[in-house]
Amino acid sequence: MTIRSARPEDADFIAQTIVSSQRGYRPRGWFDVALGRPEAHCRGFIAATATAQTVLMWHHSNFLMDEYEGQPAAALCAVPAAGTGHAAWAAIEEVGAAAGLSASELEATRRRGAYVRNCWVQGDDGDRMIEHVPTDPAYRDRGLVQALIESTLAKGRAAGFRRATISFLIGNEPAERAYATAHLSSLTRSVGSLKYPSGEASKSQTFSSDYGAERDFGEA
């Protein structure tokens, strides 16, 4: 496997990564709900945010890629928790305007996406938020996620961050197992609630881990 920084030409894989990770075990994720459009449109919109002028959590520069036998197989993004929500909306406005969305359509997108407000963007100053950590189904069970998390924890530690956080929907057992294997469950767990515009309810869980000590990841 080869871990590298993402490039602009990875935008489509990043879009696939984001859609998959936001959905988890549910049929729709945040972009599905907020944009209210078919999957192909959502993926195109996300790919545009990955190369937008406004750099946000979905921008390619925040992603690490894991290649297996020369093919993109897994990815994750890691960003400072502070200010991430504001930057995300600025990029959505930029891409939405370029796509011809009106001010009222953008406002409707904001309202539909507000259901995650109580549990999204976990952490504050000194915290680094890890997000969007799926593996292409064809490459699962090869330790790719653990390798990516180990790499991004090392980068965060070197950059002086105090803590790493990662959130997922309760019930997404593969994600929970992967993060526990990477020792992200070792210190703090917190639970948040979210209610979809359809009226459905769910809960998210956040794992937090200090950067203070080196971690032994064992066999991935």
Side-chain angles (χ1 to χ4, degrees):
M1 71 178 72
T2 301
I3 295 177
R4 62 169 175 82
S5 297
R7 301 185 286 258
E9 57 265 32
D10 296 314
D12 287 340
F13 187 82
I14 289 171
Q16 173 186 320
T17 293
I18 292 171
V19 168
S20 177
S21 64
Q22 289 185 345
R23 287 177 178 175
Y25 65 91
R26 299 184 65 93
R28 303 174 76 208
W30 187 83
F31 270 107
D32 298 299
V33 173
L35 293 177
R37 302 290 181 90
E39 180 175 332
H41 177 96
C42 293
R43 288 195 181 208
F45 192 97
I46 298 167
T49 67
T51 55
Q53 183 176 349
T54 303
V55 177
L56 76 166
M57 67 182 297
W58 304 304
H59 195 268
H60 71 86
S61 61
N62 291 318
F63 275 80
L64 286 180
M65 306 283 293
D66 201 339
E67 291 184 342
Y68 191 85
E69 297 181 345
Q71 298 298 316
L76 63 69
C77 76
V79 293
T84 294
H86 176 76
W89 183 250
I92 288 174
E93 288 183 320
E94 176 191 331
V95 174
L101 294 184
S102 66
S104 62
E105 288 173 315
L106 283 169
E107 179 56 30
T109 298
R110 184 197 289 270
R111 288 198 305 270
R112 288 191 295 266
Y115 73 96
V116 299
R117 187 172 295 158
N118 292 332
C119 56
W120 188 54
V121 186
Q122 301 288 339
D124 48 29
D125 291 340
D127 292 348
R128 195 168 190 239
M129 185 174 67
I130 301 171
E131 285 280 349
H132 310 313
V133 199
T135 300
D136 186 307
Y139 298 99
R140 287 177 180 164
D141 300 320
R142 290 177 169 86
L144 302 182
V145 165
Q146 285 77 17
L148 280 170
I149 292 175
E150 180 179 7
S151 179
T152 202
L153 286 178
K155 289 177 181 292
R157 187 182 300 113
F161 285 95
R162 183 184 70 245
R163 188 176 64 155
T165 69
I166 192 165
S167 299
F168 58 95
L169 289 177
I170 292 176
N172 189 346
E173 294 180 359
E176 183 170 1
R177 286 195 301 269
Y179 304 153
T181 300
H183 296 199
L184 278 169
S185 62
S186 58
L187 289 181
T188 305
R189 302 182 186 213
S190 60
V191 175
S193 298
L194 58 158
K195 187 172 183 179
Y196 293 83
S198 63
E200 296 177 271
S202 188
K203 289 184 179 293
S204 71
Q205 184 165 227
T206 298
F207 285 171
S208 304
S209 186
D210 282 342
Y211 276 119
E214 296 285 342
R215 301 202 179 275
D216 177 10
F217 285 80
E219 293 295 328

